[in-house]
Amino acid sequence: MIEIVDEAPAHTGARELLLDRAFGPDRHLKTCERLREARLPALAFAAMDDDGALVGTLRLWHVAIEGAQSVLLLGPLAVDAACRSEGLGARLMRQALNRAAVAGFSAIILVGDAPYYNRFGFSGDLTHDLDMPGPVDRARFLGLELQPLALGTARGLVLPAGFLDPVCTEMPQFPALQGYAKRAA
């Protein structure tokens, strides 16, 4: 049976390998990465199989948006190919949405496949007045309000927020080491 747990530092290597397999080597070039880089996630979950292998991951990140408070960015969500079509992604989503709501967050935004995320209540209607810090497919830019009207007055550019990752911020300014720190985070 697959168990969903809070992500731990020991999961880092397996998580990064899973994300590389799921999204390819260019995943760090995506616009959402600008909001995540050098930051610590607000919430992070790992799906572990009976052998203790990481087979799924989902993280949420603090973001700042004018006219909204306590908003999270969801992603990435990835499930190992051997475990797809078993509902694990949906279990990770329910865990994340429940924990975010209990923690008092007001809304979640993401860039993802609308037909998949619509079933959890995400809608493109909630992000019409928002912009990302780079190119984004508007049909994939979605929002979910955990509290009524949480995104009703939200406007403008989505900005990174939350705690900086000390691993990334304390690295010397050597480009090769900075890339290593990003991959390790």
Side-chain angles (χ1 to χ4, degrees), residues 27-135:
R27 69 183 175 93
H28 293 284
L29 302 177
K30 295 183 178 191
T31 294
C32 285
E33 186 64 23
R34 303 299 68 81
L35 298 169
R36 297 188 288 254
E37 62 191 358
R39 303 265 172 200
L40 292 172
L43 299 168
F45 305 99
M48 310 300 291
D49 70 10
D50 289 335
D51 297 324
L54 186 137
V55 295
T57 181
L58 188 149
R59 298 173 115 199
L60 297 114
W61 309 82
H62 294 281
V63 290
I65 303 171
E66 183 180 334
Q69 294 181 356
S70 302
V71 179
L72 295 172
L73 170 73
L74 187 146
L77 164 63
V79 173
D80 188 86
C83 299
R84 290 190 189 136
S85 301
E86 296 178 12
L88 181 55
R91 284 182 57 207
L92 282 161
M93 283 295 299
R94 284 191 297 275
Q95 174 84 0
L97 297 178
N98 287 337
R99 288 276 297 275
V102 167
F105 290 99
S106 68
I108 300 173
I109 61 171
L110 62 82
V111 177
D113 188 31
Y116 181 83
Y117 291 104
N118 288 158
R119 65 183 165 146
F120 300 104
F122 284 87
S123 168
D125 295 340
L126 297 172
T127 60
H128 281 293
D129 294 325
L130 303 179
D131 293 308
M132 292 292 278

